[in-house]
PDB file of all heavy atoms in Angstrom:
ATOM      1  N   SER A 232     -42.437 -27.588  -9.165  1.00 95.00           N
ATOM      2  CA  SER A 232     -42.410 -28.990  -8.740  1.00 95.00           C
ATOM      3  C   SER A 232     -43.830 -29.503  -8.541  1.00 95.00           C
ATOM      4  O   SER A 232     -44.033 -30.586  -8.008  1.00 95.00           O
ATOM      5  CB  SER A 232     -41.617 -29.129  -7.433  1.00 95.00           C
ATOM      6  OG  SER A 232     -42.232 -28.339  -6.417  1.00 95.00           O
ATOM      7  N   ALA A 233     -44.809 -28.713  -8.979  1.00 92.00           N
ATOM      8  CA  ALA A 233     -46.211 -29.048  -8.708  1.00 92.00           C
ATOM      9  C   ALA A 233     -47.023 -29.195  -9.997  1.00 92.00           C
ATOM     10  O   ALA A 233     -48.211 -28.881 -10.028  1.00 92.00           O
ATOM     11  CB  ALA A 233     -46.829 -27.988  -7.807  1.00 92.00           C
ATOM     12  N   GLY A 234     -46.368 -29.675 -11.054  1.00 92.00           N
ATOM     13  CA  GLY A 234     -47.075 -29.882 -12.306  1.00 92.00           C
ATOM     14  C   GLY A 234     -47.899 -31.155 -12.283  1.00 92.00           C
ATOM     15  O   GLY A 234     -47.647 -32.072 -11.494  1.00 92.00           O
ATOM     16  N   THR A 235     -48.905 -31.206 -13.133  1.00 93.00           N
ATOM     17  CA  THR A 235     -49.676 -32.441 -13.307  1.00 93.00           C
ATOM     18  C   THR A 235     -49.671 -32.801 -14.784  1.00 93.00           C
ATOM     19  O   THR A 235     -49.788 -31.922 -15.646  1.00 93.00           O
ATOM     20  CB  THR A 235     -51.125 -32.283 -12.819  1.00 93.00           C
ATOM     21  OG1 THR A 235     -51.749 -31.202 -13.515  1.00 93.00           O
ATOM     22  CG2 THR A 235     -51.172 -32.014 -11.330  1.00 93.00           C
ATOM     23  N   VAL A 236     -49.538 -34.095 -15.057  1.00 93.00           N
ATOM     24  CA  VAL A 236     -49.484 -34.552 -16.437  1.00 93.00           C
ATOM     25  C   VAL A 236     -50.173 -35.911 -16.534  1.00 93.00           C
ATOM     26  O   VAL A 236     -50.100 -36.723 -15.597  1.00 93.00           O
ATOM     27  CB  VAL A 236     -48.009 -34.611 -16.926  1.00 93.00           C
ATOM     28  CG1 VAL A 236     -47.221 -35.689 -16.209  1.00 93.00           C
ATOM     29  CG2 VAL A 236     -47.931 -34.819 -18.424  1.00 93.00           C
ATOM     30  N   ASP A 237     -50.851 -36.146 -17.635  1.00 94.00           N
ATOM     31  CA  ASP A 237     -51.512 -37.437 -17.852  1.00 94.00           C
ATOM     32  C   ASP A 237     -50.481 -38.561 -17.787  1.00 94.00           C
ATOM     33  O   ASP A 237     -49.387 -38.437 -18.331  1.00 94.00           O
ATOM     34  CB  ASP A 237     -52.188 -37.464 -19.232  1.00 94.00           C
ATOM     35  CG  ASP A 237     -53.377 -36.521 -19.313  1.00 94.00           C
ATOM     36  OD1 ASP A 237     -53.840 -36.066 -18.252  1.00 94.00           O
ATOM     37  OD2 ASP A 237     -53.835 -36.237 -20.442  1.00 94.00           O
ATOM     38  N   GLY A 238     -50.847 -39.651 -17.121  1.00 97.00           N
ATOM     39  CA  GLY A 238     -49.955 -40.805 -17.051  1.00 97.00           C
ATOM     40  C   GLY A 238     -49.119 -40.876 -15.797  1.00 97.00           C
ATOM     41  O   GLY A 238     -48.464 -41.882 -15.537  1.00 97.00           O
ATOM     42  N   ILE A 239     -49.111 -39.782 -14.991  1.00 97.00           N
ATOM     43  CA  ILE A 239     -48.339 -39.756 -13.740  1.00 97.00           C
ATOM     44  C   ILE A 239     -49.294 -39.361 -12.615  1.00 97.00           C
ATOM     45  O   ILE A 239     -49.949 -38.315 -12.680  1.00 97.00           O
ATOM     46  CB  ILE A 239     -47.154 -38.778 -13.814  1.00 97.00           C
ATOM     47  CG1 ILE A 239     -46.215 -39.161 -14.970  1.00 97.00           C
ATOM     48  CG2 ILE A 239     -46.388 -38.755 -12.497  1.00 97.00           C
ATOM     49  CD1 ILE A 239     -45.006 -38.260 -15.128  1.00 97.00           C
ATOM     50  N   SER A 240     -49.375 -40.196 -11.578  1.00 97.00           N
ATOM     51  CA  SER A 240     -50.351 -39.971 -10.508  1.00 97.00           C
ATOM     52  C   SER A 240     -49.896 -38.926  -9.493  1.00 97.00           C
ATOM     53  O   SER A 240     -50.711 -38.369  -8.762  1.00 97.00           O
ATOM     54  CB  SER A 240     -50.639 -41.293  -9.780  1.00 97.00           C
ATOM     55  OG  SER A 240     -49.441 -41.828  -9.250  1.00 97.00           O
ATOM     56  N   THR A 241     -48.594 -38.657  -9.438  1.00 97.00           N
ATOM     57  CA  THR A 241     -48.055 -37.692  -8.480  1.00 97.00           C
ATOM     58  C   THR A 241     -47.869 -36.330  -9.156  1.00 97.00           C
ATOM     59  O   THR A 241     -47.933 -36.213 -10.383  1.00 97.00           O
ATOM     60  CB  THR A 241     -46.686 -38.150  -7.963  1.00 97.00           C
ATOM     61  OG1 THR A 241     -45.757 -38.158  -9.072  1.00 97.00           O
ATOM     62  CG2 THR A 241     -46.748 -39.533  -7.349  1.00 97.00           C
ATOM     63  N   LEU A 242     -47.593 -35.315  -8.342  1.00 96.00           N
ATOM     64  CA  LEU A 242     -47.128 -34.038  -8.891  1.00 96.00           C
ATOM     65  C   LEU A 242     -45.752 -34.260  -9.509  1.00 96.00           C
ATOM     66  O   LEU A 242     -44.998 -35.135  -9.076  1.00 96.00           O
ATOM     67  CB  LEU A 242     -47.056 -32.978  -7.790  1.00 96.00           C
ATOM     68  CG  LEU A 242     -48.394 -32.578  -7.144  1.00 96.00           C
ATOM     69  CD1 LEU A 242     -48.162 -31.565  -6.029  1.00 96.00           C
ATOM     70  CD2 LEU A 242     -49.376 -32.027  -8.177  1.00 96.00           C
ATOM     71  N   VAL A 243     -45.408 -33.444 -10.506  1.00 96.00           N
ATOM     72  CA  VAL A 243     -44.166 -33.684 -11.241  1.00 96.00           C
ATOM     73  C   VAL A 243     -43.496 -32.354 -11.575  1.00 96.00           C
ATOM     74  O   VAL A 243     -44.160 -31.325 -11.698  1.00 96.00           O
ATOM     75  CB  VAL A 243     -44.457 -34.517 -12.528  1.00 96.00           C
ATOM     76  CG1 VAL A 243     -45.306 -33.738 -13.514  1.00 96.00           C
ATOM     77  CG2 VAL A 243     -43.180 -35.009 -13.184  1.00 96.00           C
ATOM     78  N   ASP A 244     -42.166 -32.371 -11.674  1.00 96.00           N
ATOM     79  CA  ASP A 244     -41.397 -31.173 -12.035  1.00 96.00           C
ATOM     80  C   ASP A 244     -41.580 -30.870 -13.521  1.00 96.00           C
ATOM     81  O   ASP A 244     -41.480 -31.768 -14.358  1.00 96.00           O
ATOM     82  CB  ASP A 244     -39.901 -31.388 -11.774  1.00 96.00           C
ATOM     83  CG  ASP A 244     -39.593 -31.701 -10.321  1.00 96.00           C
ATOM     84  OD1 ASP A 244     -40.356 -31.276  -9.446  1.00 96.00           O
ATOM     85  OD2 ASP A 244     -38.567 -32.376 -10.072  1.00 96.00           O
ATOM     86  N   PHE A 245     -41.801 -29.595 -13.840  1.00 94.00           N
ATOM     87  CA  PHE A 245     -41.888 -29.130 -15.228  1.00 94.00           C
ATOM     88  C   PHE A 245     -40.636 -28.336 -15.578  1.00 94.00           C
ATOM     89  O   PHE A 245     -40.132 -27.557 -14.760  1.00 94.00           O
ATOM     90  CB  PHE A 245     -43.110 -28.234 -15.428  1.00 94.00           C
ATOM     91  CG  PHE A 245     -44.404 -28.982 -15.632  1.00 94.00           C
ATOM     92  CD1 PHE A 245     -44.477 -30.368 -15.535  1.00 94.00           C
ATOM     93  CD2 PHE A 245     -45.573 -28.289 -15.916  1.00 94.00           C
ATOM     94  CE1 PHE A 245     -45.679 -31.042 -15.725  1.00 94.00           C
ATOM     95  CE2 PHE A 245     -46.782 -28.947 -16.103  1.00 94.00           C
ATOM     96  CZ  PHE A 245     -46.833 -30.331 -16.011  1.00 94.00           C
ATOM     97  N   ASN A 246     -40.173 -28.513 -16.803  1.00 95.00           N
ATOM     98  CA  ASN A 246     -38.958 -27.845 -17.278  1.00 95.00           C
ATOM     99  C   ASN A 246     -39.173 -27.233 -18.656  1.00 95.00           C
ATOM    100  O   ASN A 246     -39.944 -27.754 -19.460  1.00 95.00           O
ATOM    101  CB  ASN A 246     -37.808 -28.851 -17.377  1.00 95.00           C
ATOM    102  CG  ASN A 246     -37.515 -29.529 -16.059  1.00 95.00           C
ATOM    103  OD1 ASN A 246     -36.854 -28.968 -15.206  1.00 95.00           O
ATOM    104  ND2 ASN A 246     -38.008 -30.755 -15.889  1.00 95.00           N
ATOM    105  N   VAL A 247     -38.446 -26.162 -18.913  1.00 93.00           N
ATOM    106  CA  VAL A 247     -38.335 -25.600 -20.260  1.00 93.00           C
ATOM    107  C   VAL A 247     -36.879 -25.739 -20.685  1.00 93.00           C
ATOM    108  O   VAL A 247     -35.965 -25.336 -19.961  1.00 93.00           O
ATOM    109  CB  VAL A 247     -38.727 -24.102 -20.282  1.00 93.00           C
ATOM    110  CG1 VAL A 247     -38.377 -23.485 -21.629  1.00 93.00           C
ATOM    111  CG2 VAL A 247     -40.191 -23.930 -19.998  1.00 93.00           C
ATOM    112  N   SER A 248     -36.654 -26.342 -21.852  1.00 94.00           N
ATOM    113  CA  SER A 248     -35.302 -26.413 -22.411  1.00 94.00           C
ATOM    114  C   SER A 248     -35.204 -25.436 -23.569  1.00 94.00           C
ATOM    115  O   SER A 248     -36.059 -25.428 -24.456  1.00 94.00           O
ATOM    116  CB  SER A 248     -34.993 -27.829 -22.910  1.00 94.00           C
ATOM    117  OG  SER A 248     -33.748 -27.835 -23.593  1.00 94.00           O
ATOM    118  N   TYR A 249     -34.177 -24.607 -23.551  1.00 89.00           N
ATOM    119  CA  TYR A 249     -33.952 -23.662 -24.651  1.00 89.00           C
ATOM    120  C   TYR A 249     -33.080 -24.282 -25.733  1.00 89.00           C
ATOM    121  O   TYR A 249     -32.843 -23.674 -26.766  1.00 89.00           O
ATOM    122  CB  TYR A 249     -33.329 -22.370 -24.099  1.00 89.00           C
ATOM    123  CG  TYR A 249     -34.175 -21.797 -22.982  1.00 89.00           C
ATOM    124  CD1 TYR A 249     -33.800 -21.946 -21.655  1.00 89.00           C
ATOM    125  CD2 TYR A 249     -35.387 -21.191 -23.262  1.00 89.00           C
ATOM    126  CE1 TYR A 249     -34.600 -21.455 -20.627  1.00 89.00           C
ATOM    127  CE2 TYR A 249     -36.195 -20.699 -22.237  1.00 89.00           C
ATOM    128  CZ  TYR A 249     -35.791 -20.826 -20.926  1.00 89.00           C
ATOM    129  OH  TYR A 249     -36.592 -20.369 -19.921  1.00 89.00           O
ATOM    130  N   MET A 250     -32.608 -25.502 -25.479  1.00 88.00           N
ATOM    131  CA  MET A 250     -31.852 -26.266 -26.471  1.00 88.00           C
ATOM    132  C   MET A 250     -32.769 -27.354 -27.005  1.00 88.00           C
ATOM    133  O   MET A 250     -33.532 -27.964 -26.264  1.00 88.00           O
ATOM    134  CB  MET A 250     -30.626 -26.913 -25.831  1.00 88.00           C
ATOM    135  CG  MET A 250     -29.611 -25.944 -25.301  1.00 88.00           C
ATOM    136  SD  MET A 250     -28.554 -25.280 -26.584  1.00 88.00           S
ATOM    137  CE  MET A 250     -27.305 -26.547 -26.680  1.00 88.00           C
TER     138      MET A 250
END
Side-chain angles (χ1 to χ4, degrees):
S232 60
T235 57
V236 67
D237 291 346
I239 302 180
S240 58
T241 65
L242 295 178
V243 66
D244 300 333
F245 278 5
N246 302 280
V247 170
S248 173
Y249 306 103
M250 296 280 275

